[in-house]
Amino acid sequence: KRTTEVVGQIIVPLLSILSTLIFIVAVVFGLIYMGQMVSILALGLIGVCYLVVGAFVKQALLKKSIEIGENGTTVIHYLNVGISGIREIILSNSRRFFIDKYGAADQNLRRAQAEVQIVGQYPRSIIEGLAIATLLIVTFVSSRNGVSDVAGLSVLALLAMTGHKLLPLIQQ
């Protein structure tokens, strides 16, 4: 059992992180080799966008995690009080009070958990939109600088394909 826990919780995530980093480094160097200026511009813009979006998401997640902690504690408190004092609750006819208190805390907890799930997926959608906008800007700049159609198109296709593979990896 201990071996399974170590493998599942430590070794597998570390190997996943390592393989993702190797893939990202290989793709970035490949992009820079194929089209240095265009790749650096695109990767820089997407990187800055990801950092800005990540900062906003981190603040929202921090706020929601505090809310989840507080509401989780409240839910557990009302469960403990309800279970340990079930006789007094029934005799004093205060069931509705505990049901309402528990229900409100549980609803707040579930709402905060749902918001965390939504906010957790939010950066990917924004970054994908910004990546498309970045590709459009790079295309416009390339066409203004007289880059040939074949060379520009191949670099843009490479950027689009690698972005399609890298964004989900970075999101993890």
Side-chain angles (χ1 to χ4, degrees):
K1 180 177 171 152
R2 182 92 170 128
T3 305
T4 305
E5 287 179 17
V6 170
V7 168
Q9 294 179 0
I10 297 173
I11 295 175
V12 171
L14 283 176
L15 289 175
S16 176
I17 290 170
L18 180 65
S19 66
T20 300
L21 287 175
I22 290 170
F23 180 73
I24 289 171
V25 168
V27 167
V28 168
F29 280 124
L31 282 173
I32 291 172
Y33 177 74
M34 289 293 292
Q36 295 169 345
M37 192 60 188
V38 174
S39 297
I40 291 172
L41 174 68
L43 290 173
L45 283 172
I46 292 171
V48 167
C49 291
Y50 208 94
L51 289 175
V52 169
V53 170
F56 286 118
V57 168
K58 183 178 178 181
Q59 287 178 338
L61 289 177
L62 182 62
K63 209 165 97 172
K64 289 297 169 189
S65 69
I66 292 170
E67 189 176 329
I68 288 171
E70 291 171 353
N71 287 320
T73 302
T74 304
V75 165
I76 291 171
H77 169 72
Y78 283 116
L79 281 173
N80 284 336
V81 168
I83 290 171
S84 65
I86 190 72
R87 181 174 180 218
E88 290 81 21
I89 292 171
I90 292 172
L91 291 175
S92 67
N93 202 19
S94 58
R95 286 180 290 233
R96 179 56 41 203
F97 172 79
F98 283 100
I99 290 171
D100 291 343
K101 289 292 188 179
Y102 171 81
D106 186 54
Q107 184 178 21
N108 290 337
L109 174 65
R110 290 175 190 264
R111 184 181 310 118
Q113 289 172 335
E115 289 174 8
V116 164
Q117 291 293 322
I118 292 169
V119 170
Q121 294 300 317
Y122 184 70
R124 182 175 179 186
S125 302
I126 289 178
I127 295 302
E128 285 175 354
L130 291 173
I132 291 170
T134 300
L135 283 175
L136 291 173
I137 291 169
V138 168
T139 304
F140 179 74
V141 170
S142 296
S143 68
R144 290 290 203 155
N145 292 338
V147 175
S148 73
D149 290 339
V150 174
L153 186 60
S154 64
V155 170
L156 289 175
L158 184 62
L159 281 172
M161 289 176 57
T162 55
H164 177 71
K165 288 291 187 185
L166 283 180
L167 285 177
L169 292 176
I170 293 171
Q171 180 71 18
Q172 290 179 356

